[in-house]
Amino acid sequence: MAPELSSFEPQIRRIGDELARLSAGLSPSIFDSRWWSQTVMNLAMKDTVFKTQLFRFIDVLPSVRDDAQVVKLAEEYFGEMSGSVFGLQWGLKALTSVSLGARLSGKSIRHQVEQMARTFIGGASVDEALPVLARLWKEGRACSVDLLGEATVSERESDRYRDHCLAALRELGRAAVLWPAAPLLERDHLGPLPRVQLSLKISALSSQLDPIDPEGSFRSVAARVRPLLDLACALPASLIFDMEQAETKDLILFIFKRLLLEDSYRSYPYAGLALQAYHRTTHDDIESLLLWTRQRGAPITIRLVKGAYWDSDTIRYRQQGWPVPLFEQKSETDAHYEALSHTLLQHIGEIRPAFGTHNLRSLAHVEAVAESLNLPPEMWEYQMIFGMAEPFQEAMTKLGRRLRIYTPVGELLPGMAYLVRRLLENTSNESFLRKEYVESQPLSSLLAAPPTFPSSENRVSGRSSLPPPELASAQHEPLPFTNEPHSDFSQAPVREAMRQAIRSVAAQLGRERPIHPPAGASMTGEEVRSYDPGRPSQPVGRLRTYAPEDISAVVRAAQQGFHEWQAIPASQRVAVLRKAAALMRVRRYELAAWEIFETGKPWREADADVAEAIDFLEFYSREMARLGSPRRLGRAPGELNHRLYSPRGVTVVIAPWNFPLAIPTGMVSAALVTGNAVLFKPSERAPVMGHLLVEILTEAGVLRGALHFLPGGPAVGRALVMDPHVATIAFTGSKEAGLWILEQATRILPDQRMVKRVIAEMGGKNAIVVDETADLDEAITGVVTSFTGYAGQKCSACSRAIVHETVYDVFLERLAEAVQSLYIGHPEDPGTRVGPLIDARAQEKVRQYIEIGQQEGRLVVERRVDDAGYFAGPVIFADIQPHHRLAQEEIFGPVLAVMRAKTFEEALRLANSTSYALTGGVYSRSPANLDLARDTFDVGNLYLNRPITGALVSRQPFGGHRLSGVGAKAGGEDYLAQFMVARVVSEHTLRRGFAPAE
């Protein structure tokens, strides 16, 4: 491929010289100092910190209604620079807090940023944009209209976006017939071209678009696209599917292909979609589309772009620990773009290629390839963005090429995300326009070939389909800890692995799980059965149990096992944990499937729980490797001081059902790796998951005498807590049970030789604060995720939303619509967002709190579910007061209390007004408010501008204080020490005047 492409270099240089001549003397609007201070632009391109602050300020500005607050935010973002930043360009000597001055300054700042936005946005409405579109048409340039508003948080908002698109098509259709004839724009090699083209944001056409559920996503999107296709066929008009974030690429391709194979649209010749050259797999996507187009029998448009989401996609994939599916270097993308351009032009008989680029080299390359293939110019078109690269727009028009301008239309508030992307693109170090018009790089450099051409192997090696299933060797030194990535369900092989696991586990439901009590112990308790909470008549597992009178014999066995287990070197215990982690990786989807059936966890929640269990094993094994060797204290001559850790003894672990693998894995593995024997009592609601954990740890090498599995009810837990030979109790559960354990632990019983240590996590009444500067799209999504995730059955779940009064009503309205859009169902369905509660007792508790809420507040939403399972749909109550029970008591279900605050300070006081201190969140784009929250929001885990659930081991060690719990944070570097006794050994090494050499 490389030699063939390199043969075009002389033509590229010749054509590039001609395009440069045709564009000479012009400058892109973005670098026009009439609307943007040259000083500020230079700062943004030289100082990445300033650039970030500048774009964040631009992002928040449209949501701020008060002009005085605009000034305040400017000072927060730019500090002492604020006066010079705005004064240089906008004639303000200094920003002032005087009321009139603040209003004038705020209005000036807002006006100038709005002017900047209008450079990139054709109009606030289609009607306002029509004169712009007509002018462009008369200048020889067609348009593709993009209605701004990418984020929809509810199906009602998706309906509104569809309706706006329908209205836009009608309005554009009526106006376009009056435009003068333009043969170049109205016909190509395949026939006539519509005057109207609309670009569609697929994510805006469904708030529930999710690659985990292609079928559900297709149904949701297709229902809204069909009316658009019907109208486009009638007008006619062209519809283009825009490509968005990397995770949705394959899903959008799937929806596009499937929809356009329907009988009504199979012959429609004006459909198209954008493809991004920075994807490693785009070549394969094009080959697949070409084959599909031949089978379909009608042409499509392929808009080839380099891609606008590189920064956000790359950060998100790295944050998730997934291989990045995009090229890492811009030169690779440029080279791939050229290879893909060649491919498109070679298949000109089947497609309508459209080349979206502002790069002189890329434009010249397309021309050179087309010239070599003897293609007339009507066979392809170029597309450029409104307000960008006007010199090249002029050059291509003069050259007689069909040019289409991608023209955003819409209000500034939803348009700011688009604006910021354009500014990022144009001020990046790799921006072609920056290189030419700011850095004035020579033409030879601008037209130089990309230094690297991607190989076919590199094109398709975007990311692995499944986590590696091999067992890790315990003999080599482990790598530094990194979190186990959650499964990427946008990949078909991953989805199929989960489906297969669900089918396999479904065939095993209801079986008895074998338990082998230690010698001398009996199991006389009643059989315990767990049931599928989504289908309560379906048993999941059956287990024999212990009765309270059986416990003392098991404790004695654990005492004996403790002496044997603690004698094993710490390095071997570390190796056992690492092997257990490897075994969990092999059984990952099987374990997740058991959670789906036994505890009602949706796919992602179940998968995340398994990943967190692996994290605990890997992290605590590394921590014990660090703590297992004696540490020297001090360096005084003549003495040798060491700190040593030794295990405390028999440890009781009482685990909850809501994280049925991760939490018990963390508690049990911490106790085991530090040398303790463990008496593990799982929740009677999730005994099968506890049994699977013990099965894995035993296979990994834990001695049977060191780990005892004790399924049973609360009476078994009470007997374990009260046994005098227990040294440590690790508990996660309700506040009431935790406080009882703490009380019992203070009592010294006969034969007791150690004060019991209690590590207890006891729940929360967690709040998310939303201030007037918040991005409401993100805030609503975050609140919904945090209060409905796993049906609110998380100690970290949001149960209070405290909202600033200026955005209270709009937040509440959009939140209600978002909750009404959630799919409620059995969690084996990948599209389920809200599954069942764990059992009838939990369901009844939620019903009781709904009755309380109806007396205390205003019912906004109650999703009723008519199903045999233990379902309780999400419920929202508004106008809740701080003294209300809904504001103070933990519910453990999807019930949200929404409270109003006049100021951010009041919101924080309300957030801190309960006896709990576990998690909390803030959505704000005010740096000062975020700093205040850091200082005064009294919780163990504070989350800023993100959901408040889903803490990750090591990155976000988890745990609270006050009545939320006692002990060090789980998944943190202090956690293991709680299961050990620290001893210091001091040796006087000076004898007869001599000391050992150090």
Side-chain angles (χ1 to χ4, degrees):
M1 181 180 292
E4 183 182 1
L5 292 177
S6 64
S7 66
F8 296 123
E9 293 309 313
Q11 297 98 308
I12 290 172
R13 180 57 190 261
R14 170 177 52 80
I15 296 168
D17 287 341
E18 174 66 7
L19 293 177
R21 184 186 65 78
L22 292 174
S23 63
L26 301 173
S27 177
S29 294
I30 188 163
F31 302 120
D32 188 341
S33 61
R34 287 176 301 173
W35 63 263
W36 187 263
S37 166
Q38 195 62 49
T39 302
V40 172
M41 178 59 81
N42 286 337
L43 274 173
M45 288 188 286
K46 294 176 182 177
D47 185 337
T48 57
V49 174
F50 174 78
K51 176 179 174 178
T52 298
Q53 294 298 89
L54 178 65
F55 292 170
R56 285 183 168 184
F57 175 74
I58 291 171
D59 177 59
V60 67
L61 188 60
S63 66
V64 182
R65 302 177 184 180
D66 182 62
D67 289 321
Q69 191 175 31
V70 172
V71 177
K72 178 177 178 292
L73 282 169
E75 292 171 335
E76 290 179 23
Y77 275 97
F78 302 108
E80 295 180 357
M81 292 182 62
S82 58
S84 58
V85 165
F86 299 110
L88 283 174
Q89 174 61 23
W90 296 330
L92 306 173
K93 297 300 181 184
L95 298 177
T96 173
S97 59
V98 176
S99 178
L100 177 61
R103 286 200 301 273
L104 291 174
S105 300
K107 287 184 183 300
S108 299
I109 293 171
R110 193 193 306 274
H111 175 72
Q112 292 301 327
V113 176
E114 287 175 351
Q115 287 298 108
M116 175 181 62
R118 290 190 179 96
T119 301
F120 297 99
I121 298 174
S125 64
V126 172
D127 182 65
E128 185 179 310
L130 284 175
V132 174
L133 303 179
R135 173 179 56 80
L136 289 170
W137 182 268
K138 290 176 183 177
E139 293 172 354
R141 303 170 197 182
C143 292
S144 186
V145 172
D146 167 36
L147 299 183
L148 292 175
E150 298 173 43
T152 55
V153 302
S154 69
E155 292 297 83
R156 182 171 294 181
E157 290 184 357
S158 295
D159 286 342
R160 285 196 283 266
Y161 177 77
R162 174 206 58 205
D163 293 344
H164 290 160
C165 289
L166 287 168
L169 282 174
R170 295 188 186 99
E171 198 166 357
L172 290 168
R174 286 192 295 268
V177 295
L178 303 177
W179 297 344
L184 178 62
L185 305 181
E186 297 186 74
R187 176 168 289 276
D188 68 3
H189 62 297
L190 297 177
L193 293 173
R195 294 184 171 191
V196 173
Q197 184 176 103
L198 188 66
S199 291
L200 302 175
K201 287 289 186 294
I202 303 306
S203 63
L205 285 162
S206 173
S207 66
Q208 305 305 300
L209 187 79
D210 190 339
I212 200 172
D213 182 23
E215 290 295 327
S217 297
F218 173 80
R219 289 192 297 270
S220 180
V221 171
R224 295 186 177 91
V225 175
R226 288 188 187 103
L228 296 172
L229 282 168
D230 292 338
L231 182 57
C233 290
L235 284 174
S238 173
L239 293 180
I240 307 296
F241 282 36
D242 268 339
M243 198 59 72
E244 302 178 58
Q245 284 78 11
E247 198 174 351
T248 62
K249 175 181 74 73
D250 291 344
L251 178 59
I252 290 174
L253 284 165
F254 164 75
I255 293 172
F256 178 83
K257 291 179 181 179
R258 182 166 167 181
L259 183 58
L260 288 164
L261 280 180
E262 293 182 359
D263 291 342
S264 300
Y265 314 117
R266 189 170 189 129
S267 61
Y268 173 61
Y270 304 127
L273 80 167
L275 293 178
Q276 298 151 318
Y278 60 27
H279 274 284
R280 298 177 186 272
T281 58
T282 300
H283 182 272
D284 294 337
D285 294 335
I286 288 177
E287 292 294 336
S288 175
L289 279 166
L290 288 170
L291 177 62
W292 172 84
T293 300
R294 296 184 199 111
Q295 295 170 343
R296 177 174 175 256
I300 62 168
T301 296
I302 294 181
R303 174 195 290 157
L304 183 64
V305 300
K306 293 184 179 176
Y309 296 86
W310 186 90
D311 297 273
S312 59
D313 277 343
T314 299
I315 290 170
R316 189 166 52 253
Y317 272 77
R318 287 176 177 166
Q319 190 179 68
Q320 292 286 347
W322 297 338
V324 178
L326 315 177
F327 289 114
E328 303 284 345
Q329 303 297 323
K330 187 178 183 300
S331 61
E332 294 179 295
T333 296
D334 289 341
H336 200 207
Y337 189 92
E338 294 188 3
L340 299 174
S341 299
H342 198 179
T343 299
L344 293 180
L345 289 171
Q346 286 177 317
H347 295 85
I348 204 81
E350 301 159 290
I351 58 171
R352 292 185 158 101
F355 300 101
T357 181
H358 306 122
N359 184 303
L360 183 63
R361 159 84 192 189
S362 299
L363 293 167
H365 175 269
V366 171
E367 289 289 318
V369 173
E371 184 180 278
S372 73
L373 296 173
N374 296 315
L375 301 179
E378 70 269 13
M379 300 185 80
W380 73 94
E381 73 179 31
Y382 297 101
Q383 295 195 4
M384 299 184 190
I385 295 174
F386 182 79
M388 288 177 60
E390 290 96 329
F392 296 151
Q393 294 182 23
E394 183 70 19
M396 301 317 292
T397 302
K398 290 178 180 177
L399 199 63
R401 300 299 185 259
R402 184 166 64 254
L403 176 65
R404 191 177 303 273
I405 306 302
Y406 186 87
T407 309
V409 173
E411 297 292 341
L412 293 184
L413 182 58
M416 276 297 159
Y418 172 85
L419 172 59
V420 169
R421 280 207 305 276
R422 297 285 75 81
L423 292 173
L424 282 168
E425 183 178 326
N426 282 277
T427 58
S428 72
N429 292 334
E430 301 294 340
S431 165
F432 181 89
L433 297 180
R434 170 177 169 171
K435 289 179 179 179
E436 178 167 7
Y437 292 98
V438 176
E439 299 172 1
S440 301
Q441 293 189 14
L443 192 60
S444 59
S445 174
L446 297 173
L447 290 173
T452 304
F453 285 88
S455 67
S456 58
E457 178 183 355
N458 199 24
R459 282 201 312 267
V460 299
S461 61
R463 42 193 163 136
S464 60
S465 296
L466 291 168
E470 68 273 6
L471 292 179
S473 169
Q475 302 304 315
H476 61 77
E477 192 69 21
L479 296 172
F481 174 78
T482 56
N483 294 101
E484 183 72 14
H486 295 176
S487 291
D488 179 0
F489 286 107
S490 70
Q491 299 184 72
V494 177
R495 296 193 299 272
E496 182 55 31
M498 182 67 97
R499 289 192 197 97
Q500 289 181 3
I502 289 172
R503 288 193 291 267
S504 174
V505 168
Q508 304 173 55
L509 297 178
R511 296 179 183 176
E512 182 177 359
R513 313 293 298 191
I515 300 175
H516 306 287
S522 301
M523 300 185 71
T524 63
E526 295 182 357
E527 182 183 72
V528 64
R529 296 189 179 196
S530 62
Y531 291 87
D532 178 349
R535 301 186 187 99
S537 62
Q538 173 62 62
V540 174
R542 298 181 290 118
L543 298 92
R544 297 163 59 204
T545 68
Y546 290 94
E549 54 269 24
D550 302 329
I551 297 304
S552 58
V554 185
V555 175
R556 285 195 300 270
Q559 287 179 288
Q560 295 172 4
F562 165 61
H563 296 296
E564 187 178 357
W565 179 246
Q566 73 166 335
I568 293 177
S571 60
Q572 292 185 27
R573 300 195 300 266
V574 164
V576 168
L577 260 62
R578 293 180 58 207
K579 184 176 180 182
L583 289 167
M584 280 192 183
R585 289 190 185 95
V586 173
R587 300 178 63 178
R588 176 174 190 151
Y589 296 107
E590 175 205 350
L591 293 168
W594 279 110
E595 288 203 26
I596 287 170
F597 286 110
E598 187 169 52
T599 60
K601 286 210 168 197
W603 281 28
R604 281 199 180 92
E605 302 268 5
D607 176 76
D609 196 53
V610 180
E612 186 177 8
I614 295 170
D615 280 349
F616 279 128
L617 293 167
E618 293 284 5
F619 181 71
Y620 290 155
S621 69
R622 286 164 175 78
E623 283 297 290
M624 192 60 202
R626 177 176 66 87
L627 298 172
S629 300
R631 177 187 174 189
R632 183 169 179 180
L633 306 176
R635 289 289 173 180
E639 67 179 43
L640 191 59
N641 303 301
H642 281 108
R643 184 199 65 198
L644 305 92
Y645 282 115
S646 57
R648 287 177 55 82
V650 175
T651 298
V652 167
V653 171
I654 301 176
W657 50 266
N658 61 334
F659 290 87
L661 186 65
I663 289 179
T665 297
M667 296 191 291
V668 170
S669 66
L672 286 172
V673 80
T674 48
N676 302 279
V678 174
L679 300 165
F680 168 38
K681 182 205 167 299
S683 169
E684 63 273 24
R685 291 158 157 175
V688 172
M689 291 307 303
H691 188 273
L692 290 166
L693 171 59
V694 172
E695 185 178 272
I696 287 171
L697 290 171
T698 302
E699 183 180 349
V702 175
L703 299 182
R704 289 191 179 274
L707 176 58
H708 299 271
F709 183 56
L710 293 93
V716 171
R718 288 192 290 268
L720 288 168
V721 167
M722 297 174 69
D723 192 283
H725 304 292
V726 168
T728 307
I729 302 164
F731 167 81
T732 299
S734 70
K735 179 183 70 174
E736 292 74 21
L739 293 176
W740 180 86
I741 291 171
L742 285 164
E743 180 184 1
Q744 297 303 312
T746 62
R747 299 178 179 179
I748 304 300
L749 302 172
D751 297 329
Q752 184 172 335
R753 301 180 61 185
M754 179 180 284
V755 176
K756 294 178 182 179
R757 174 173 291 170
V758 177
I759 305 157
E761 193 274 285
M762 302 186 295
K765 186 65 181 173
N766 313 300
I768 292 179
V769 173
V770 180
D771 80 0
E772 70 273 37
T773 71
D775 183 323
L776 290 188
D777 293 339
E778 291 185 1
I780 291 164
T781 301
V783 169
V784 170
T785 297
S786 300
F787 104 85
T788 67
Y790 191 36
Q793 299 174 111
K794 301 179 184 181
C795 55
S796 58
C798 173
S799 60
R800 295 178 294 154
I802 305 170
V803 185
H804 193 281
E805 62 180 6
T806 59
V807 295
Y808 184 87
D809 292 333
V810 64
F811 172 86
L812 198 58
E813 179 183 1
R814 296 188 67 200
L815 177 70
E817 292 179 353
V819 169
Q820 293 282 15
S821 303
L822 299 176
Y823 178 67
I824 304 172
H826 194 283
E828 68 180 329
D829 183 340
T832 291
R833 291 288 300 276
V834 182
L837 299 179
I838 190 63
D839 59 17
R841 183 174 53 171
Q843 188 182 48
E844 179 57 29
K845 182 179 179 182
V846 168
R847 286 174 179 165
Q848 290 173 3
Y849 274 100
I850 291 173
E851 293 177 3
I852 294 170
Q854 289 172 333
Q855 298 171 7
E856 292 183 337
R858 171 167 55 95
L859 179 64
V860 177
V861 171
E862 182 182 2
R863 293 288 306 277
R864 295 181 180 273
V865 184
D866 295 323
D867 198 288
Y870 300 124
F871 290 93
V875 183
I876 299 174
F877 289 101
D879 307 334
I880 296 298
Q881 300 302 310
H883 64 277
H884 286 158
R885 291 181 63 184
L886 249 62
Q888 295 294 324
E889 299 176 11
E890 186 178 41
I891 300 171
F892 230 62
V895 179
L896 181 70
V898 184
M899 308 170 72
R900 186 192 303 263
K902 293 182 179 179
T903 65
F904 187 72
E905 292 76 9
E906 181 189 4
L908 290 179
R909 286 195 298 271
L910 292 174
N912 289 331
S913 66
T914 75
S915 58
Y916 295 98
L918 187 56
T919 67
V922 172
Y923 280 90
S924 171
R925 288 180 287 188
S926 162
N929 284 356
L930 294 176
D931 286 342
L932 183 62
R934 283 188 178 93
D935 292 340
T936 62
F937 201 155
D938 186 27
V939 289
N941 287 71
L942 176 61
Y943 299 94
L944 306 178
N945 291 316
R946 54 148 286 177
I948 67 172
T949 59
L952 294 173
V953 171
S954 180
R955 278 156 63 175
Q956 296 124 14
F958 183 78
H961 51 278
R962 298 210 303 265
L963 293 187
S964 285
V966 293
K969 288 180 175 293
E973 60 184 14
D974 303 324
Y975 192 73
L976 290 190
Q978 301 173 114
F979 296 86
M980 297 185 287
V981 174
R983 298 185 298 117
V984 174
V985 178
S986 298
E987 180 183 358
H988 181 66
T989 60
L990 183 65
R991 293 185 184 177
R992 303 294 182 183
F994 294 94
E998 296 186 15

